[in-house]
C-alpha cells in the first residue's frame, strides 16, 4: 500500500480499534498509539518527499496513484502530494496527536468522542492528499460533519446554537463550492470533450473568462468561509468558544487551513485569469479582516473569543498573502498556515488546561497564574510571543515572508493594504501583552488559585510537542520555506500564463 | 583570512547556550551554578571580543590606510527571493567592534554585580537566563551583516528588555511598565520594518555593505521617485530612523524609558543606559553612508530630534526625585547628544560628528553604567529610590561615593574625565553645522552638570542620616565593578577615536579646541556651583524656586503630560472607540445579518409548515382554490 493511502488507513484502523476496546484507559491509549503512528508516518513522508524531490526536482506531485472509481463520470481516486500538502499533512498529524492528549481526561462518552475526532482528522488527511476535486470535496464534507456532533454533544455554553451556526455556515460555503466544482467539471467537458475532476487536467483547460468570472468567486468564497474570510467569519468565535478543547485545536489549527489551501489550489490554480482580475475585491476583504480581527480582540474578555478573533486576523493574513499573486507571498501564506495551526492549537490546548483548573475563561477573573502554574504560564507566554511574531518562533518567519512578498506589488492600492496588514503587528502586540499581563502576571486574584496543580504529564507532552515545532520552525525555517517555495512554481506559472 | 575569524561565532553561541541552559534548568540548578554559567560565558565572549579588536585594529583590519569591513561568516537563514535573503552573519568593522567591546565589558561587570545585588531574590536563575538572552541578542544586533538580521535581534533585545523590566512580575507597576516599553518600541519597530521593506524593494538587498557600497549607489535610484515632497529613499530612511528613535527613547517615543526603571537596577544599567538604548544611534551610524549621501534632509531631522530630546530630557531631569528616573532622563538627554552629533555630521573630512557620536556612545557607556550601578548600590543600602529621603551618605558608602562622584564629573564634562573629550567633539561638530545646535548642546551641558550634582549633593551631602542608621557599603562583588567602571570613566577619553572610528575608515584629523573646551568647562562649573548652592546643605531655596515657577514647574515635573496624552489616544480613542465599535459591529451587524438570515428561513418555514397539516378537508380546500385560480388565469388569457 502506498504511503498516502496509509494516511487514511491508519486513522480508520484506529477507529476500528477504539470501537473494539473497552474502558476509558484502553480507548485513549488506542487513540494515542494510532495517532502516534500517524505522526511517525508523516515524519517519514516528509523525509521521503524531500528525498524524492532531491532526485527529481522537476516533478511537481509525488507518490501519485490513480484508480478509476466511477468510470462513467470520470471520477478517480487520484492522490499525490507536493511540498505544500506535505507541510499540511505534517501539521495535521501534530495537531491531532496533541489533541488526543488534550482530551485525555474526557469522561462523557469518550469512545464516541474519539471516534468523531479521528474521523474528522481522516477527512482532513484525505483532503490534503486528493488530486481530484470530487474526492477532495468528499473528504471536505467528511471533515465538516463530525464537527456538528463534536460541538453539539461535547461542547459548552450555547452549544446547539454554535454547532448549528457553524455547520450551516460551512454548508453554505460548501454549496457555493459545489456549484463552482460542477462548473469546472462540465466546463471542461464542454471545452475538451471529457469532463474531469482532476486538478491538473483542469489546470490545463483554458476556460473562457465568462465562466471563470463565476468559478472564481464561487470557489474562493466557498473555501473562504472556512478560512474565516470577512464577513463570513462569525461562525468562528461562537464555534470555537463552545467547542471542547481538542475540537477547537483541530478546527482552528487545521480545518481553517482547508480554506487557504483550497483557495490556493482550486480558486487560483484553476482559474488564474479571473483571480488576477477579481482578486482585488477579496484583497480588500482580507485586508480588512487582518486589522478588524486584531482590533476586535482588544474588547474581548473570554479567552476563547480572544483566540478566535486573533485567528480571524491571522487567517485573514493567509488569504491576503495568497491574493498578492507572487511566489514569496504565497510561500508566506503556507508558512502562516503551518505556523498559525501550531500556535492556535497550542493556545486552545492551554486555554482548556487553564479552564479545567480555574473554572473560568474570563481574563479579568484570573490573574497572577504565573506563580502557581509556571509551566502552563510560560507556555502561554511563548505561544503569545509566537503569535506577535517574535523572531526565533514560527510566526515571525511566516509574517515576514508575507510582508516581503506583499511589498513586491508596488502600486498604491497594494501598498495601502499591505501597510494596513503590517500595522496589525502592533495591535497584536497590544492584545497579546494585555492578556498575558491580566492572566498570568500581577498579584494572585483569588484565594483558590493558590493551590492549583501545574501541568500533568499528558498536558506537558501535548504542550512541549507543539512548542518544539514552533521553536524548530522559528530557528531553522529554511528547509520548510524552500520545500513550499519549490511547490509553488506551477501556480505561479498558471498566473503568469507560462 | 576568512577562516581565521571562525571563532567569532562563539561570541554569539556562548551567551545563547547560557540562556538555554539556565532557562530550561532554572528550577534544578543551584543559584551559584546558574550565575557561574552566565558569567563564564560572557567573560569568554568578552575575551574573544577584545582579542578580535586587537587583531582587527593592529593587523587584519587595515588595507591601504583604510579600515575595511570583513564578514566573518554570513549564512542564509531564510530565502524570500534569490536576491532577498535573510542571512545571519558576523560583520567586523570599527563600529561593530567598538560596540562589542562596550556590550561585553558592561555585560560582564553587570553580571558580576548582579551576584550581589540579586542575592536571595526569587527567580535568581531566571534573572541570569534573561541577562544572557539579552547579551546574546545585543551582540547579534551589533554584528548584523544585513538589515533583517538587525531587525531580528532588534526584536529580541526588545523582548529581553520586556522580560527584565517585568522581572518582578507580581508587581502591577512593573507589569505595566514592561508592556509599555514593548508596545511603544514595537510601534517604532513597525516604522523600522516598513523602512526595511521599502529599502529592500528598491535596493533589492538587505545587506549593509551592498546598500552602502559606492556611497549608496544601490539605493540611489530611489532618490528619483518622490512621494509627498520627499524622495522614497528619504521616506525609507526616515522610517528606519523611527525604529531607532523608539529604541533610543527619542522624543516623542521616549515615554517608555522612565517607566522601564521598574526593572532591577543592574538591568537599567546594562539595557537602559549603556547598550540597548544606544541601538538607535548605532543603527543610524551603521547606515550613515546612505543617510549622508542619499538623504541629508533626514539627517537634519535626526539632528533636530536629537537636539530637542537632549534639551527636553535635561529640563525634566532637573525636577525629578526618583534617583533612577533622573538617570533615565539623563540617558535620554545624552543619547539625544549622540543623535544630534550624527545628524550634524558630514562625510569623510567633515565626519567629525560621526566620530564624536561614537566616541560619546563609548564613554557614556562607562559613566552611565557606573551611575546606575552606583544608584543600585545606594538603593540596595537605603531601600528607597527617593533622593529626598537620602542625604549624607558619603560617610556610610565611601566607595559608592567616590565612584559616583567620578561618574558625575565625567558626565558633566570636567577634564580629564572621559565625558569631557567626547562632549567637546560633539560641540565642535555642532558648531560647524549650525549655531542653534551648538547653543542647545551648550545649554544642555550646563543643565547636565546641574542635575547630576543636584543628585550627587542630595544623596551624599545635604542632611545627615540619623545616628542609629545601619546603612553600610555593599559587598565587594558589587563595589569592584564600580571601581573598574570608574577607571573606565577616567581613562576612556584617551582612546584616539579619530584614528579608529570614522565615516570612511580613514584617519580623521581632530584638533583640540581650547576656547571651546574652556567655555564648556565653564558652563559645567556654573551648573555645579548652582547645584552646590541649592543642595549641598538643607535649604528651602529649591522649593522657593519651584513655587515661583508655578505651573511651568508642575508641567515639567509631570514630564509635560506626555504619558497622559498617550494614554488618552490609546485608551480612549483606539480601545474605547475603534475597538469597541468593531466588537459591537461584529456582533450586531455582521453576525446579526447572519442570524437574521437563519431566523428568516426559520420564520418562512414556520409560516408554510401549516400547509402540511394532514387534514384532508384543508387539502381539498387548497386543491379547489388552486384549480379555481388556474382556471381564472386561463379564462383571463382566453378572453383576451
Amino acid at each position: 500500500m502506498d504511503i498516502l493511502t496509509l494516511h487514511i488507513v491508519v486513522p480508520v484502523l484506529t477507529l476500528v480499534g477504539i470501537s473494539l476496546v473497552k474502558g476509558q484507559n484502553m480507548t485513549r491509549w488506542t487513540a494515542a498509539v494510532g495517532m502516534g503512528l500517524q505522526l511517525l508516518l508523516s515524519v517519514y513522508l516528509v523525509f521521503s518527499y524531500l528525498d524524492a524531490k532531491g532526485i527529481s526536482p522537476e516533478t511537481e506531485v509525488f507518490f501519485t496513484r490513480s484508480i478509476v472509481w466511477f468510470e462513467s463520470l470520470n471520477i478517480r481516486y487520484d492522490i499525490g502530494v507536493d511540498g505544500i500538502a506535505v507541510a499540511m499533512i505534517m501539521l495535521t498529524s501534530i495537531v491531532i496527536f496533541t489533541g488526543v492528549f488534550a482530551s485525555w481526561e474526557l469522561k462523557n462518552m469518550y469512545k464516541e468522542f474519539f471516534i468523531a475526532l479521528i474521523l474528522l482528522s481522516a477527512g482532513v488527511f484525505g483532503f490534503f492528499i486528493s488530486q481530484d476535486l470530487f474526492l477532495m470535496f468528499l473528504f471536505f464534507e467528511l471533515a465538516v460533519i463530525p464537527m456538528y456532533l463534536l460541538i453539539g454533544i461535547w461542547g459548552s455554553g450555547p452549544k446547539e446554537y454554535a454547532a448549528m451556526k457553524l455547520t450551516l455556515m460551512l454548508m453554505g460555503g460548501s454549496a457555493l463550492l459545489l456549484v463552482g466544482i460542477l462548473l469546472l467539471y462540465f466546463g471542461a467537458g464542454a471545452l475538451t470533450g471529457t469532463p474531469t475532476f482532476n486538478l491538473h487536467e483542469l489546470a490545463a483547460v483554458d476556460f473562457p473568462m465568462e465562466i471563470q468570472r463565476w468559478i472564481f468567486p464561487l470557489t474562493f468564497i466557498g473555501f473562504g468561509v472556512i478560512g474565516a474570510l470577512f464577513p463570513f467569519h462569525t461562525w468562528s468565535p461562537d464555534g470555537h468558544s463552545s467547542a471542547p478543547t481538542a475540537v477547537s485545536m483541530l478546527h482552528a489549527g487545521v480545518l481553517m487551513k482547508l480554506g487557504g489551501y483550497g483557495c490556493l489550489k482550486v480558486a487560483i490554480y484553476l482559474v488564474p485569469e479571473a483571480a488576477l482580475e477579481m482578486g482585488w475585491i477579496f484583497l480588500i476583504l482580507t485586508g480588512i479582516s487582518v486589522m478588524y480581527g486584531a482590533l476586535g480582540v482588544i474588547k474581548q474578555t473570554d479567552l476563547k473569543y480572544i483566540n478566535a478573533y486573533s485567528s480571524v486576523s491571522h487567517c485573514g493574513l493567509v488569504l491576503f498573502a495568497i491574493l498578492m499573486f507572487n511566489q514569496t507571498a504565497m510561500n508566506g501564506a503556507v508558512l502562516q498556515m503551518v505556523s498559525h495551526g501550531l500556535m492556535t492549537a497550542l493556545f486552545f490546548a492551554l486555554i482548556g488546561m487553564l479552564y479545567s483548573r480555574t473554572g473560568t475563561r474570563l481574563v479579568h477573573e484570573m490573574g497572577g497564574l504565573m506563580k502557581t502554574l509556571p509551566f502552563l504560564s510560560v507556555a502561554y507566554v511563548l505561544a503569545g510571543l509566537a503569535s506577535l511574531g517574535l523572531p526565533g518562533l514560527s510566526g515571525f518567519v511566516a509574517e515576514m515572508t508575507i510582508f516581503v512578498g506583499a511589498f513586491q506589488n508596488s502600486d498604491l492600492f497594494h501598498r495601502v493594504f499591505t501597510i494596513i496588514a503590517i500595522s496589525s503587528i502592533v495591535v497584536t502586540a497590544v492584545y497579546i501583552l494585555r492578556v498575558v499581563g491580566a492572566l498570568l502576571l500581577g498579584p494572585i486574584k483569588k484565594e483558590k488559585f493558590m493551590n492549583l496543580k501545574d501541568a500533568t504529564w499528558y498536558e506537558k507532552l501535548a504542550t512541549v510537542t507543539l512548542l518544539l515545532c514552533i521553536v524548530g520552525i522559528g530557528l531553522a525555517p529554511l528547509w520548510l520555506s524552500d520545500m513550499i517555495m519549490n511547490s509553488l512554481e506551477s501556480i505561479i506559472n498558471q498566473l503568469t500564463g507560462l | 583570512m576568512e577562516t581565521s575569524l571562525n571563532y567569532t561565532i562563539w561570541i554569539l553561541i556562548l551567551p545563547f547556550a547560557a540562556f538555554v541552559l539556565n532557562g530550561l534548568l532554572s528550577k534544578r540548578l543551584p543559584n551559584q551554578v546558574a550565575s557561574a554559567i552566565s558569567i563564564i560565558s560572557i567573560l569568554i565572549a568578552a575575551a574573544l571580543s577584545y582579542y578580535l579588536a586587537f587583531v582587527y585594529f593592529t593587523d587584519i583590519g587595515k588595507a591601504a590606510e583604510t579600515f575595511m569591513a570583513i564578514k566573518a561568516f554570513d549564512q542564509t537563514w531564510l530565502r524570500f527571493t534569490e536576491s532577498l535573503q535573510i542571512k545571519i552573519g558576523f560583520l567586523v568593522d570599527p563600529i561593530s567592534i567598538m560596540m562589542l567591546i562596550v556590550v561585553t565589558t558592561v555585560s560582564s561587570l553587570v553580571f558580576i554585580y548582579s551576584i550581589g545585588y540579586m542575592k536571595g531574590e526569587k527567580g535568581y536563575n531566571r534573572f541570569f537566563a534573561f541577562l544572557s538572552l539579552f547579551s546574546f541578542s545585543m551582540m547579534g544586533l551589533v554584528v548584523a551583516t544585513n538589515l533583517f538580521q538587525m531587525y531580528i535581534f532588534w526584536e529580541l533585545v526588545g523582548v529581553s528588555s520586556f522580560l527584565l523590566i517585568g522581572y518582578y512580575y507580581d508587581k502591577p507597576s512593573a507589569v505595566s511598565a514592561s508592556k509599555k516599553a514593548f508596545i511603544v518600541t514595537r510601534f517604532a519597530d513597525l516604522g523600522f520594518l516598513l523602512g526595511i521593506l521599502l529599502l529592500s524593494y528598491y535596493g533589492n538587498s538587505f545587506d549593509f555593505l551592498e546598500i552602502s557600497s559606492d556611497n549608496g549607489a544601490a539605493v540611489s535610484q530611489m532618490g528619483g521617485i518622490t512621494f509627498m515632497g520627499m524622495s522614497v529613499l528619504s521616506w525609507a530612511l526616515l522610517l528606519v530612523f523611527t525604529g531607532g528613535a523608539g529604541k533610543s527613547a527619542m522624543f516623542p517615543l521616549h515615554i517608555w524609558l522612565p517607566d522601564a526603571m521598574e526593572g532591577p537596577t543592574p538591568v537599567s544599567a546594562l539595557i537602559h543606559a549603556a547598550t540597548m538604548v544606544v541601538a538607535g544611534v548605532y543603527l543610524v551610524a551603521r547606515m550613515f553612508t546612505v543617510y549622508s549621501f542619499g538623504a541629508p534632509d533626514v539627517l537634519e531631522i535626526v539632528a533636530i530630534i536629537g537636539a530637542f530630546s537632549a534639551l527636553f530630557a535635561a529640563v525634566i531631569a532637573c525636577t525629578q526625585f526618583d534617583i533612577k528616573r533622573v538617570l533615565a532622563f539623563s540617558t535620554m538627554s545624552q543619547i539625544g547628544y549622540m543623535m544630534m552629533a550624527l545628524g550634524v555630521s558630514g562625510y569623510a573630512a567633515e565626519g567629525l560628528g560621526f566620530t564624536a557620536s561614537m566616541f560619546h556612545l563609548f564613554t557614556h557607556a562607562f559613566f552611565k553604567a557606573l551611575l546606575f550601578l552606583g544608584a543600585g548600590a545606594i538603593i540596595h543600602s537605603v531601600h528607597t529610590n527617593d533622593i529626598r529621603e537620602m542625604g549624607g551618605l558619603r560617610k556610610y558608602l565611601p566607595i559608592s561615593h567616590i565612584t559616583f562622584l567620578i561618574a558625575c564629573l565625567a558626565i558633566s564634562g570636567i577634564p580629564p574625565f572621559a565625558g569631557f573629550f567626547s562632549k567637546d567633539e560633539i560641540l565642535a561638530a555642532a558648531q560647524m553645522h549650525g549655531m542653534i545646535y551648538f547653543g542647545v548642546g551648550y545649554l544642555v551641558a550646563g543643565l547636565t552638570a546641574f542635575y547630576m550634582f543636584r543628585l550627587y549633593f542630595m544623596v551624599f551631602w545635604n542632611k545627615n542620616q540619623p545616628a542609629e542608621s545601619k546603612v553600610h557599603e555593599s559587598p565587594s562583588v558589587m563595589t569592584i565593578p564600580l571601581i573598574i567602571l570608574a577607571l573606565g570613566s577616567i581613562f576612556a577619553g584617551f582612546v584616539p577615536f579619530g584614528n579608529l572610528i570614522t565615516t570612511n575608515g580613514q584617519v580623521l584629523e581632530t584638533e583640540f579646541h581650547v576656547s571651546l573646551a574652556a567655555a564648556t568647562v565653564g558652563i559645567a562649573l556654573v551648573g555645579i556651583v548652582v547645584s552646590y548652592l541649592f543642595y549641598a546643605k538643607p535649604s528651602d531655596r529649591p522649593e522657593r524656586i519651584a513655587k515661583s515657577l508655578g505651573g511651568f514647574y508642575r508641567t515639567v515635573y509631570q514630564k509635560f503630560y506626555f504619558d497622559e496624552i498617550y494614554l488618552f489616544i490609546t485608551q480612549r480613542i483606539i480601545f474605547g472607540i475603534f475597538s469597541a465599535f468593531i466588537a459591537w459591529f461584529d456582533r450586531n451587524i455582521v453576525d446579526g445579518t447572519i442570524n437574521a438570515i437563519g431566523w428568516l428561513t426559520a420564520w418562512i418555514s414556520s409560516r408554510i409548515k401549516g400547509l402540511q397539516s394532514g387534514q384532508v378537508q384543508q387539502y381539498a380546500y387548497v386543491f379547489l382554490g388552486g384549480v379555481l385560480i388556474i382556471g381564472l388565469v386561463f379564462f383571463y388569457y382566453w378572453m383576451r
Side-chain angles (χ1 to χ4, degrees):
Chain A
M1 193 177 296
D2 63 286
I3 184 167
L4 295 181
T5 310
L6 266 179
H7 271 89
I8 307 176
V9 171
V10 171
V12 170
L13 285 180
T14 313
L15 290 179
V16 174
I18 291 173
S19 58
L20 291 178
V21 298
K22 288 209 165 55
Q24 187 191 20
N25 214 24
M26 284 303 285
T27 308
R28 62 195 186 188
W29 273 109
T30 313
V33 169
M35 292 303 102
L37 279 176
Q38 181 83 340
L39 182 58
L40 293 178
L41 197 62
S42 303
V43 173
Y44 178 70
L45 175 68
V46 172
F47 282 106
S48 11
Y49 173 83
L50 288 174
D51 263 1
K53 186 81 181 174
I55 292 165
S56 56
E58 294 302 311
T59 318
E60 285 278 332
V61 185
F62 288 86
F63 314 117
T64 50
R65 167 173 278 228
S66 183
I67 302 169
V68 176
W69 195 5
F70 293 115
E71 196 167 7
S72 55
L73 296 176
N74 196 15
I75 294 172
R76 280 169 294 171
Y77 176 71
D78 264 342
I79 55 167
V81 285
D82 59 4
I84 302 170
V86 169
M88 301 316 292
I89 289 170
M90 188 68 216
L91 168 72
T92 312
S93 299
I94 295 164
V95 175
I96 182 72
F97 176 73
T98 52
V100 168
F101 288 96
S103 328
W104 205 246
E105 285 299 326
L106 190 100
K107 295 271 185 322
N108 172 31
M109 296 201 286
Y110 45 84
K111 199 172 246 186
E112 290 79 358
F113 178 84
F114 279 115
I115 288 177
L117 192 70
I118 291 170
L119 186 65
L120 189 161
S121 79
V124 177
F125 285 114
F127 180 87
F128 286 130
I129 63 170
S130 301
Q131 298 293 320
D132 180 284
L133 276 179
F134 186 86
L135 198 64
M136 202 182 220
F137 188 74
L138 183 87
F139 280 120
F140 184 65
E141 295 300 302
L142 186 64
V144 171
I145 291 169
M147 190 61 74
Y148 178 76
L149 300 174
L150 282 166
I151 297 176
I153 297 172
W154 291 276
S156 59
K159 55 186 182 185
E160 286 88 0
Y161 166 76
M164 181 69 85
K165 182 176 187 173
L166 182 141
T167 315
L168 285 181
M169 286 186 76
L170 296 188
M171 284 290 160
S174 303
L176 298 180
L177 186 58
L178 185 60
V179 177
I181 290 175
L182 291 178
L183 270 175
L184 282 165
Y185 175 74
F186 289 114
L191 288 167
T192 65
T194 41
T196 177
F197 285 111
N198 184 288
L199 273 177
H200 305 284
E201 289 170 18
L202 284 171
V205 176
D206 195 13
F207 291 100
M209 273 314 273
E210 304 84 76
I211 309 184
Q212 290 206 14
R213 286 201 190 98
W214 282 100
I215 297 173
F216 179 70
L218 284 169
T219 47
F220 198 89
I221 296 176
F223 279 118
V225 173
I226 200 167
L229 173 68
F230 175 87
F232 310 107
H233 64 277
T234 57
W235 56 267
S236 152
D238 291 314
H240 286 319
S241 66
S242 291
T245 300
V247 178
S248 292
M249 287 169 69
L250 214 60
H251 196 177
V254 178
L255 240 70
M256 287 172 87
K257 309 301 172 292
L258 302 191
Y261 183 88
C263 286
L264 189 63
K265 282 297 189 68
V266 177
I268 289 173
Y269 182 48
L270 299 185
V271 284
E273 284 95 355
L276 286 171
E277 187 184 283
M278 306 168 82
W280 65 274
I281 303 171
F282 296 102
L283 192 68
I284 294 176
L285 292 181
T286 54
I288 291 174
S289 64
V290 173
M291 201 59 183
Y292 175 93
L295 280 172
V297 181
I298 292 176
K299 279 283 146 182
Q300 306 299 325
T301 50
D302 182 313
L303 280 178
K304 279 198 161 185
Y305 274 93
I306 287 171
N307 208 30
Y309 275 102
S310 93
S311 291
V312 170
S313 172
H314 282 126
C315 289
L317 209 49
V318 172
L319 297 180
F320 172 83
I322 288 174
L323 292 168
M324 284 292 164
F325 301 127
N326 66 55
Q327 205 164 356
T328 310
M330 286 180 175
N331 184 7
V334 180
L335 284 170
Q336 173 79 347
M337 288 200 261
V338 175
S339 158
H340 176 258
L342 295 168
M343 240 153 50
T344 206
L346 179 56
F347 261 128
F348 277 120
L350 290 169
I351 291 168
M353 294 170 198
L354 292 177
Y355 180 65
S356 70
R357 288 171 170 76
T358 60
T360 177
R361 287 200 313 252
L362 297 178
V363 174
H364 50 85
E365 288 186 0
M366 297 190 234
L369 295 181
M370 184 68 90
K371 272 242 161 78
T372 49
L373 304 172
F375 180 87
L376 293 179
S377 302
V378 169
Y380 200 98
V381 171
L382 283 171
L385 292 176
S387 183
L388 62 75
L390 187 78
L393 302 170
S394 61
F396 176 81
V397 175
E399 285 179 1
M400 290 307 132
T401 313
I402 291 176
F403 295 155
V404 171
F407 235 77
Q408 305 305 313
N409 295 323
S410 62
D411 57 297
L412 189 65
F413 172 76
H414 281 90
R415 275 279 188 275
V416 168
F417 278 92
T418 304
I419 289 172
I420 291 177
I422 298 177
S423 307
S424 72
I425 63 170
V426 180
V427 187
T428 310
V430 171
Y431 69 72
I432 294 283
L433 294 189
R434 275 165 76 98
V435 171
V436 165
L439 194 67
L440 310 173
L441 311 177
I444 292 180
K445 269 257 177 67
K446 284 184 184 163
E447 196 64 21
K448 66 169 180 176
F449 293 162
M450 289 300 288
N451 30 23
L452 296 177
K453 289 259 182 311
D454 209 353
T456 54
W457 69 266
Y458 48 85
E459 289 172 331
K460 280 187 178 159
L461 182 66
T463 313
V464 168
T465 308
L466 289 167
L467 272 177
L468 279 179
C469 297
I470 291 172
V471 174
I473 294 175
L475 290 180
L478 192 60
W479 67 275
L480 181 63
S481 162
D482 278 357
M483 180 171 97
I484 296 164
M485 190 78 100
N486 293 334
S487 298
L488 283 165
E489 307 245 306
S490 58
I491 295 174
I492 296 298
N493 289 345
Q494 280 283 84
L495 283 167
T496 50
L498 285 170
Chain B
M1 186 185 280
E2 296 280 314
T3 48
S4 66
L5 288 172
N6 275 345
Y7 63 86
T8 52
I9 196 165
W10 292 100
I11 298 178
L12 296 180
I13 288 179
L14 286 170
F16 184 68
F19 158 66
V20 173
L21 216 58
N22 276 340
L24 290 181
L25 302 175
S26 71
K27 288 276 162 51
R28 307 206 180 90
L29 289 178
N31 287 351
Q32 291 90 332
V33 177
S35 48
I37 290 172
S38 288
I39 290 169
I40 290 169
S41 70
I42 194 73
L43 283 176
I44 297 174
L48 288 174
S49 303
Y50 276 92
Y51 174 71
L52 178 67
F54 177 75
V55 172
Y56 180 84
F57 283 120
T58 58
D59 180 14
I60 61 171
K62 210 146 196 173
E65 293 304 301
T66 308
F67 283 114
M68 308 298 290
I70 304 168
K71 281 180 187 163
F73 58 88
D74 206 17
Q75 190 66 41
T76 300
W77 184 74
L78 183 61
R79 196 173 292 136
F80 296 130
T81 64
E82 274 316 307
S83 53
L84 292 181
Q85 303 185 352
I86 302 186
K87 293 185 174 175
I88 300 294
F90 198 109
L91 185 64
V92 185
D93 77 345
I95 56 171
S96 72
I97 289 184
M98 186 273 289
M99 285 295 286
L100 268 183
I101 297 292
V102 168
V103 173
T104 51
T105 309
V106 179
S107 291
S108 306
L109 294 172
V110 165
F111 281 28
I112 293 167
Y113 177 93
S114 301
I115 299 176
Y117 190 85
M118 299 304 289
K119 194 169 186 199
E121 291 275 357
K122 256 194 300 175
Y124 181 92
N125 295 3
R126 177 165 55 94
F127 184 77
F128 276 93
F130 290 166
L131 279 185
S132 290
L133 173 65
F134 171 77
S135 294
F136 159 71
S137 315
M138 191 65 209
M139 289 191 278
L141 189 161
V142 164
V143 301
T145 55
N146 58 76
L147 276 164
F148 239 110
Q149 184 186 352
M150 196 172 226
Y151 182 76
I152 287 174
F153 286 100
W154 191 269
E155 292 294 296
L156 288 177
V157 290
V159 83
S160 324
S161 158
F162 165 77
L163 292 170
L164 284 163
I165 295 169
Y167 174 75
Y168 298 111
Y169 61 80
D170 48 0
K171 214 168 119 197
S173 59
V175 174
S176 62
S178 63
K179 275 196 299 195
K180 188 172 175 182
F182 193 87
I183 289 167
V184 173
T185 49
R186 180 81 171 185
F187 176 74
D189 295 351
L190 173 65
F192 187 13
L193 178 61
L194 289 174
I196 293 175
L197 291 174
L198 263 179
L199 269 179
S200 63
Y201 175 71
Y202 291 101
N204 213 15
S205 173
F206 297 128
D207 194 282
F208 284 127
L209 298 183
E210 276 176 41
I211 291 176
S212 329
S213 63
D214 299 335
N215 300 336
V219 288
S220 60
Q221 49 168 340
M222 295 165 68
I225 314 160
T226 53
F227 177 69
M228 284 166 64
M230 251 172 35
S231 74
V232 172
L233 179 59
S234 294
W235 277 107
L237 290 174
L238 184 63
L239 285 166
V240 169
F241 171 65
T242 312
K247 206 55 113 202
S248 289
M250 288 292 96
F251 179 87
L253 296 167
H254 62 278
I255 53 159
W256 63 271
L257 187 60
D259 291 29
M261 298 298 125
E262 288 288 343
T265 309
V267 170
S268 313
L270 176 60
I271 302 184
H272 305 118
T275 57
M276 186 192 80
V277 285
V278 296
V281 180
Y282 181 72
L283 174 62
V284 177
R286 170 57 71 213
M287 306 211 18
F288 188 75
T289 314
V290 189
Y291 274 98
S292 187
F293 286 95
D297 45 348
V298 179
L299 222 44
E300 200 68 45
I301 298 175
V302 173
I304 293 169
I305 299 263
F308 185 77
S309 302
L311 182 61
F312 178 84
V315 170
I316 296 177
C318 295
T319 63
Q320 300 297 308
F321 291 109
D322 181 320
I323 183 168
K324 288 180 71 182
R325 283 183 191 235
V326 175
L327 293 177
F329 280 107
S330 156
T331 306
M332 177 183 164
S333 174
Q334 298 298 309
I335 296 171
Y337 253 160
M338 299 170 205
M339 283 287 189
M340 181 180 83
L342 279 180
V344 299
S345 178
Y347 199 77
E350 279 91 50
L352 178 63
F354 178 87
T355 303
S357 175
M358 292 295 104
F359 195 10
H360 198 58
L361 191 161
F362 184 73
T363 57
H364 175 256
F366 289 100
F367 56 71
K368 190 48 71 64
L370 174 54
L371 284 169
F372 266 107
L373 292 186
I378 295 161
I379 294 166
H380 197 69
S381 311
V382 298
H383 302 291
T384 174
N385 280 12
D386 193 328
I387 51 175
R388 286 167 296 193
E389 295 170 23
M390 302 174 188
L393 292 178
R394 65 185 184 285
K395 288 173 205 143
Y396 305 93
L397 307 172
I399 301 174
S400 306
H401 170 227
I402 295 298
T403 53
F404 203 87
L405 178 62
I406 290 169
C408 286
L409 290 168
I411 195 174
S412 305
I414 304 295
F417 299 99
F420 165 74
F421 296 96
S422 51
K423 201 176 275 189
D424 184 59
E425 277 190 13
I426 288 182
L427 290 174
Q431 199 178 23
M432 281 195 276
H433 191 76
M435 280 319 281
I436 178 82
Y437 296 115
F438 174 76
V440 171
Y442 192 67
L443 180 59
V444 171
L447 285 171
T448 307
F450 170 74
Y451 68 71
M452 282 318 302
F453 276 87
R454 167 179 175 265
L455 201 61
Y456 168 75
F457 286 124
M458 280 185 82
V459 172
F460 292 105
W461 297 75
N462 208 302
K463 59 178 179 276
N464 289 319
Q465 285 289 313
E468 69 274 23
S469 171
K470 292 213 176 64
V471 174
H472 58 86
E473 187 60 276
S474 306
S476 56
V477 74
M478 286 166 72
T479 50
I480 289 171
L482 292 181
I483 294 166
I484 296 173
L485 283 171
L487 292 174
S489 305
I490 297 171
F491 295 111
F494 295 108
V495 177
F497 256 62
N499 297 341
L500 302 175
I501 292 169
T502 54
T503 48
N504 56 359
Q506 286 159 7
V507 173
L508 179 74
E509 294 301 332
T510 50
E511 50 198 292
F512 187 72
H513 314 81
V514 181
S515 55
L516 183 66
T520 327
V521 174
I523 186 126
L525 288 175
V526 169
I528 295 172
V529 169
V530 171
S531 63
Y532 176 80
L533 295 176
F534 274 38
Y535 300 104
K537 295 196 182 71
S539 89
D540 61 346
R541 256 178 242 144
E543 239 160 78
R544 285 213 311 271
I545 300 274
K547 276 232 175 63
S548 68
L549 286 170
F552 178 70
Y553 178 83
R554 257 199 315 284
T555 311
V556 176
Y557 182 69
Q558 294 296 338
K559 305 165 225 160
F560 293 90
Y561 296 100
F562 261 88
D563 282 313
E564 284 72 15
I565 295 170
Y566 275 92
L567 218 56
F568 178 78
I569 294 174
T570 51
Q571 296 290 342
R572 286 291 160 78
I573 297 183
I574 297 181
F575 300 165
I577 297 178
F578 284 131
S579 249
F581 172 74
I582 284 178
W584 175 86
F585 179 82
D586 196 63
R587 285 287 90 186
N588 293 288
I589 306 295
V590 181
D591 200 35
T593 312
I594 301 286
N595 279 340
I597 294 171
W599 179 84
L600 195 69
T601 315
W603 181 78
I604 292 173
S605 86
S606 78
R607 288 280 119 176
I608 58 175
K609 77 179 175 196
L611 290 175
Q612 300 276 332
S613 62
Q615 291 178 337
V616 182
Q617 296 97 317
Q618 195 197 353
Y619 287 180
Y621 281 130
V622 174
F623 174 74
L624 280 178
V627 168
L628 201 65
I629 289 167
I630 292 167
L632 281 174
V633 169
F634 269 98
F635 185 69
Y636 173 78
Y637 279 101
W638 183 62
M639 286 299 289
R640 270 209 325 184

